[in-house]
Amino acid sequence: MIYLDNAATTLPLDKALEKYIDVSKNAFGNSSSMHTAGLDAVNALENARASVASLLACDKSEVYFTSGGTESDNIAIFGTVRRLNRRGKKIITCAYEHAAVENCMNELEKQGFEVIRIGTKDGAFDIDAFEKALSEDVILISVMYANNETGLINPIERIKPLRDRLAPAAYIHTDAVQAFGKLPCDVARLGVDLLSVSSHKIGGVKGIGALYIRKGVTVSSPVFGGGHEKGIRSGTVNVPAAAAFGVACENADPAKNYTAVSALRKYACEKLDFVKTHTFSAQSPYVLSVTADGYKGETLLHYLNSKDILVATASACSSNGKKDGRVLMSQGYDENEVSSVLRISFCADNTKEDIDALAAALKEGLGTLSKGVK
Ligand code: PLP
């Protein structure tokens, strides 16, 4: 199998799985228990927290474990709104957020909040429109770091200076699920108050993620229960999964992998010169979005699947597979491109041979399948 759908999820690292089993057996206690089994779990959990913190260049007290990127986004967004809603009713986000953020925004609109969605201009986050949207009654800015369908990178570090000047009450949140472990995620340099990450995108197991909350920032979590994770995410902590996540963080080498994956993406663009490859000026090398005019992406996906090459159409993160074109059209794709898009997403273990096989199969598919399957 040639797996080129790493933005959907990654193969867990052997070391992460070994850690998961080891902690499940040998530190199985509840991390809230006061006996030695509980303390063993606490030790495993705190080691994992330090590993996540190290990739974010933050203090480990600023890392809170959650069940994944979706829950981190929900806690960041609703936690901010619950905390700051007396100061204003205005929220700024980006028009091509993942459903984990977009659907929070839809809910907040129903509750009477004003949500402004910033799109792209000339193939980049429209920073001028963003600046114009800022005002003193903005309470939350939630702008993703790297887009999951195209790899477009937003200029997160440009947000804080504008926020400080024009919307000082607002917290800054970024969904960094597709950037963590891949792009620089030094939270001080990014200038964010809250940042969401997920384990299964970087070789950890599923069902665990983390939310960074900058020291001094307080959110009012929408999750009620036993007060775990300092009241941010109640619920018995999934310590084995957190420990496996820690191992994935320790093994992540963003700088080295960036160079390798950039070379791979460049090679893929050359080999796939018979379809349109979409590249933004600020581009994550981990995602390559291509369109084959006149062909339906889904048909091509199934053709490639029959050759044991796995790619995606757009985001795989919606459980009902519903796609509405919102994410791609706000990044400049037209309707035909939306229906024909294929998302190829890499990890550092992919090879040029994988790309050669993809290019050969796709060329064959385009020759075999009939056009007009839009
Ligand atoms: N945010 C982005 C940008 C994503 O790509 C994803 C998953 O693909 C999520 C959030 C959701 O993360 P999780 O699957 O850990 O809930």
Side-chain angles (χ1 to χ4, degrees):
M1 180 195 22
I2 295 177
Y3 187 74
L4 292 164
D5 194 15
N6 292 281
T9 198
T10 54
L11 177 71
L13 301 174
D14 286 345
K15 282 183 189 170
L17 292 176
E18 280 157 22
K19 188 71 169 183
Y20 184 89
I21 292 169
D22 175 46
V23 171
S24 297
K25 283 184 178 168
N26 300 317
F28 69 90
N30 187 317
S31 56
S32 299
S33 296
M34 289 166 76
H35 45 60
T36 46
L39 290 179
D40 289 343
V42 168
N43 283 339
L45 187 62
E46 293 315 308
N47 286 340
R49 202 185 305 282
S51 302
V52 177
S54 152
L55 263 190
L56 294 170
C58 70
D59 194 273
K60 80 186 191 58
S61 64
E62 298 171 304
V63 172
Y64 300 80
F65 284 108
T66 66
S67 69
T70 301
E71 193 177 50
S72 296
D73 287 341
N74 272 260
I75 294 174
I77 293 167
F78 288 102
T80 297
V81 166
R82 281 165 44 78
R83 165 88 185 149
L84 297 181
N85 66 26
R86 284 203 198 89
R87 297 203 182 173
K89 291 263 180 233
K90 199 162 147 188
I91 297 164
I92 302 180
T93 188
C94 128
Y96 40 93
E97 291 289 330
H98 185 274
V101 169
E102 171 64 12
N103 284 331
C104 292
M105 297 301 166
N106 292 338
E107 172 58 25
L108 287 168
E109 281 178 317
K110 283 187 206 144
Q111 294 178 15
F113 288 88
E114 181 192 357
V115 177
I116 300 175
R117 293 171 178 77
I118 306 298
T120 56
K121 195 175 151 206
D122 303 329
F125 180 71
D126 189 347
I127 195 82
D128 296 332
F130 172 74
E131 180 170 355
K132 282 197 191 97
L134 291 172
S135 57
E136 295 214 327
D137 56 345
V138 175
I139 53 171
L140 172 65
I141 296 162
S142 182
V143 173
M144 75 193 317
Y145 191 163
N147 182 259
N148 47 300
E149 296 195 17
T150 64
L152 170 68
I153 296 175
N154 284 329
I156 303 302
E157 63 291 342
R158 293 186 65 186
I159 291 176
K160 184 176 183 295
L162 293 170
R163 185 279 308 266
D164 290 351
R165 186 158 56 82
L166 300 165
Y171 287 173
I172 302 171
H173 166 246
T174 189
D175 175 338
V177 167
Q178 295 292 346
F180 183 65
K182 299 173 180 170
L183 306 174
C185 275
D186 176 328
V187 285
R189 192 189 63 82
L190 292 174
V192 295
D193 299 309
L194 302 142
L195 178 143
S196 306
V197 301
S198 177
S199 145
H200 71 102
K201 309 288 186 181
I202 63 157
V205 298
K206 293 164 187 64
I208 190 85
L211 176 63
Y212 158 80
I213 306 179
R214 187 170 65 76
K215 207 170 272 175
V217 164
T218 45
V219 300
S220 184
S221 176
V223 183
F224 296 93
H228 308 76
E229 295 298 284
K230 294 184 273 181
I232 294 298
R233 198 279 187 175
S234 282
T236 302
V237 184
N238 189 345
V239 178
F245 185 18
V247 170
C249 292
E250 286 155 27
N251 281 272
D253 190 340
K256 181 170 153 249
N257 291 347
Y258 186 91
T259 308
V261 173
S262 295
L264 204 61
R265 189 182 188 280
K266 187 166 172 282
Y267 182 72
C269 287
E270 286 159 16
K271 290 296 274 188
L272 296 170
D273 61 355
F274 53 93
V275 289
K276 181 170 174 183
T277 52
H278 297 256
T279 298
F280 295 96
S281 53
Q283 173 72 50
S284 164
Y286 285 84
V287 181
L288 171 58
S289 172
V290 307
T291 48
D293 190 32
Y295 293 86
K296 203 170 169 190
E298 221 167 292
T299 312
L300 293 173
L301 178 151
H302 290 305
Y303 184 84
L304 292 171
N305 198 162
S306 74
K307 307 282 170 197
D308 227 11
I309 300 173
L310 311 191
V311 300
T313 48
S315 176
C317 302
S318 151
S319 61
N320 59 9
K322 242 172 74 184
K323 292 184 189 84
D324 56 10
R326 164 187 66 84
V327 168
L328 292 174
M329 285 168 93
S330 59
Q331 293 177 68
Y333 287 59
D334 66 29
E335 257 175 63
N336 291 336
E337 288 173 335
V338 168
S339 69
S340 83
V341 77
L342 282 181
R343 179 186 71 179
I344 299 151
S345 52
F346 308 107
C347 71
D349 289 336
N350 287 126
T351 61
K352 283 186 170 177
E353 288 70 37
D354 293 344
I355 306 299
D356 291 340
L358 167 72
L362 188 55
K363 197 171 245 173
E364 190 182 279
L366 295 181
T368 312
L369 300 163
S370 50
K371 264 197 172 195
V373 277
K374 286 182 213 167

